[in-house]
Amino acid sequence: MNLLYKNKQITGILTVIPDNEISFDDEMDNYNFTKTQSMRLKTVMGYGKHCIVAESTCVSDLCVYGLSYLFDNNLLKKDEIDALILVTQSPDHFVPPTSFIIQGRLELKKDLYCIDINQGCTGYLIGLMQAFSLLDQDTIKKVVLLNADVLSRKVSKKDRNSFPIIGDGAAITIVERNSVENTIHANLFTDGSRSGALVIPAGGFRMPSSPETALLEEDDHGNLRSKDHLCMNGTEVFNFVQTEVPVMIDELIELAGTTMEDVDYFMFHQPNRFMLQKLADKMKVPHEKMPNNVVENFGNGSSITIPTAITFNLADELCNKLFTMCLAGFGVGLTWSSMIIDIGNLNFCKMIKYQEEN
Amino acid sequence: MEELYTRLAEIMDVASVSGTDKFEDFEMWDSLSKLATVAMLDASFGVTVSGKELGDLILISELESLIQNKKKA
């Protein structure tokens, strides 16, 4: 599906990353593999360290912390927020939606448009699309897009496939109308028939959590996880990305009437360095134009990887310059989506650390 | 198909690999090697092989046949 948005812009990006940083080397003993095998994995995949929350920290904690930072530093005013979109796969509760918990904790205005969206890897783009659509309302001038997850709490510590790469955090993106005319092109694809590649089997209503679903089971590769934990099929996801994403980007470039050379940065979702390098090679994009350093420094925080890549790699530059960026998300659903958007001249673009309270 | 055997040897961290060898005989034939192989098949041969298809193979020579079949399709 092709989508078109007019006269919209991002005016600020803040990422909130837990200060609890653990290196791959320190967690190696948890896995069912020899040290040699684990070190080989570390080198090939490009693992380093990841930042994860304490067992009790929730998405609303990260979002409230980040929004409070913006209020305290006069980067955002409470009463200017007309809509709050929260994209998360790890809400505080099933009921009520976590965007309402955030509204309540921060005492935001009573007619605020609040909505939770359940999305992961493609969640930054899905959230932006929602924000752009809402801004067509005369009464909605400033949208706060929150992307946040605490998925490390749903990944088995003995799952070498997923635990080294998982990251937690939140991203806050301010989206407004643009007084200068512009056009944003995007495309979106979905395939629920392949949804099994990325699942948390138990905990919903199809398979409620129970003592049985909490039991650790060993998979064909020696990883231990329960049905309450995230389960990701690495090779299936790799093939999906390599097959679908280059085609999607080619179509988007043609739709937008531009060229690959005119794109300054390909800010893609970061599954891990290995996959992004292979993707860049396939698309013939120089590695410098497709940053791939998020997972080795912070982990894969689902829908926050794109804003994390932006705030980690381009913080100061984006406050003074404008870049043509191609964003892309791909993963859970399965969904894959891309967007060409000029981002820059931001009011703020930074990363802050979340300090766990005692 | 010499390139296939050279690249497989690199992935398995051995001096050489032959068609009559069995995948399971290699110490390094683990989930990471399988992913690296899938990636290599995509990059060097332009074919998509699923984890399951790879897991079903017994002899290295069967991989050569699989690649040829996929290229014909």
Side-chain angles (χ1 to χ4, degrees):
Chain A
M1 174 177 287
N2 296 331
L3 299 137
L4 188 83
Y5 302 97
K6 286 185 177 293
N7 313 332
K8 308 292 186 306
Q9 58 174 338
I10 292 173
T11 56
I13 305 176
L14 180 80
T15 46
V16 180
I17 304 293
D19 69 348
N20 180 27
E21 198 180 88
I22 315 180
S23 74
F24 180 83
D25 294 359
D26 290 340
E27 287 171 336
M28 257 194 314
D29 291 339
N30 294 340
Y31 309 125
N32 233 1
F33 300 90
T34 65
K35 192 169 170 194
T36 315
Q37 279 176 312
S38 289
M39 289 308 286
R40 196 167 148 253
L41 180 80
K42 181 185 174 187
T43 312
V44 171
M45 300 298 283
Y47 296 159
K49 50 192 197 260
H50 59 156
C51 298
I52 58 176
V53 291
E55 270 302 308
S56 57
T57 299
C58 288
V59 153
S60 69
D61 299 325
L62 297 169
C63 292
V64 164
Y65 186 85
L67 284 164
S68 299
Y69 173 88
L70 293 176
F71 299 148
D72 292 344
N73 287 278
N74 292 316
L75 295 167
L76 181 67
K77 290 192 174 63
K78 273 193 203 192
D79 48 6
E80 279 178 356
I81 307 174
D82 298 315
L84 197 68
I85 302 172
L86 170 65
V87 179
T88 186
Q89 301 161 112
S90 44
D92 286 20
H93 305 275
F94 280 133
V95 180
T98 309
S99 52
F100 288 84
I101 295 179
I102 296 166
Q103 178 205 32
R105 284 176 67 174
L106 289 170
E107 295 175 328
L108 302 178
K109 67 184 190 185
K110 291 275 190 290
D111 64 344
L112 182 70
Y113 184 99
C114 291
I115 190 168
D116 279 26
I117 299 179
N118 182 342
Q119 241 304 342
C121 322
T122 321
Y124 195 60
L125 279 85
I126 298 291
L128 284 175
M129 290 171 183
Q130 284 295 318
F132 295 153
S133 296
L134 284 173
L135 286 163
D136 283 337
Q137 291 293 316
D138 286 340
T139 44
I140 298 184
K141 297 182 172 57
K142 191 170 274 197
V143 178
V144 169
L145 168 62
L146 301 167
N147 292 81
D149 266 305
V150 291
L151 274 177
S152 69
R153 295 175 60 179
K154 289 301 261 180
V155 178
S156 164
K157 290 184 167 52
K158 295 184 183 296
D159 183 353
R160 199 191 64 162
N161 197 32
S162 298
F163 198 72
I165 54 174
I166 201 77
D168 297 327
I172 303 175
T173 306
I174 312 298
V175 194
E176 301 182 69
R177 288 198 277 274
N178 196 345
S179 53
V180 173
E181 277 185 17
N182 71 354
T183 303
I184 296 167
H185 292 274
N187 55 7
L188 170 73
F189 300 88
T190 52
D191 184 358
S193 72
R194 288 186 277 175
S195 63
L198 281 150
V199 286
I200 297 176
F205 291 94
R206 179 63 69 197
M207 185 190 291
S209 283
S210 68
E212 284 75 41
T213 65
L215 295 171
L216 291 176
E217 294 164 333
E218 192 168 323
D219 70 6
D220 294 338
H221 309 295
N223 294 302
L224 287 151
R225 69 179 79 85
S226 75
K227 292 198 164 53
D228 290 330
H229 287 132
L230 179 73
C231 179
M232 188 187 55
N233 185 325
T235 36
E236 205 182 316
V237 173
F238 177 84
N239 279 330
F240 150 67
V241 171
Q242 290 292 89
T243 310
E244 308 287 4
V245 176
V247 173
M248 167 176 73
I249 302 298
D250 281 343
E251 283 181 18
L252 179 70
I253 293 278
E254 199 182 314
L255 187 67
T258 185
T259 64
M260 295 286 276
E261 291 69 37
D262 284 331
V263 172
D264 296 312
Y265 289 102
F266 293 83
M267 286 297 187
F268 282 18
H269 167 61
Q270 313 259 312
N272 55 65
R273 192 178 72 196
F274 174 83
M275 259 199 237
L276 272 175
Q277 282 179 338
K278 296 292 175 201
L279 185 58
D281 292 341
K282 188 149 191 177
M283 290 171 54
K284 301 194 190 355
V285 169
H287 290 189
E288 315 79 66
K289 276 175 93 164
M290 190 187 289
N292 60 31
N293 53 6
V294 168
V295 176
E296 70 198 75
N297 286 294
F298 308 104
N300 170 351
S302 302
S303 70
I304 71 164
T305 62
I306 294 173
T308 304
I310 292 174
T311 53
F312 184 57
N313 290 292
L314 290 172
D316 293 328
E317 281 184 81
L318 273 181
C319 293
N320 305 305
K321 292 188 208 158
L322 196 66
F323 292 106
T324 297
M325 295 205 189
C326 176
L327 310 182
F330 31 87
V332 68
L334 299 176
T335 344
W336 54 115
S337 176
S338 58
M339 180 185 286
I340 294 186
I341 174 172
D342 286 347
I343 301 181
N345 297 326
L346 300 179
N347 296 326
F348 57 89
C349 182
K350 64 186 300 187
M351 177 183 287
I352 61 173
K353 291 288 182 159
Y354 176 81
Q355 277 133 8
E356 304 279 357
E357 281 162 33
N358 296 340
Chain B
M1 277 284 179
E2 217 186 284
E3 196 194 342
L4 175 67
Y5 291 93
T6 315
R7 292 201 181 272
L8 278 174
E10 275 169 14
I11 290 169
M12 307 281 212
D13 200 22
V14 292
S16 66
V17 152
S18 82
T20 49
D21 289 331
K22 286 188 190 166
F23 281 101
E24 65 186 17
D25 288 340
F26 292 94
E27 206 191 317
M28 292 287 225
W29 186 239
D30 59 6
S31 56
L32 178 61
S33 292
K34 286 177 188 151
L35 178 63
T37 303
V38 162
M40 179 270 288
L41 293 171
D42 177 68
S44 301
F45 297 93
V47 293
T48 304
V49 174
S50 75
K52 184 175 184 317
E53 285 173 313
L54 199 55
D56 286 343
L57 302 175
I58 314 237
L59 297 172
I60 304 271
S61 58
E62 288 170 23
L63 180 55
E64 193 176 333
S65 311
L66 182 63
I67 296 170
Q68 274 155 355
N69 287 341
K70 280 187 181 272
K71 277 178 122 47
K72 275 190 214 141

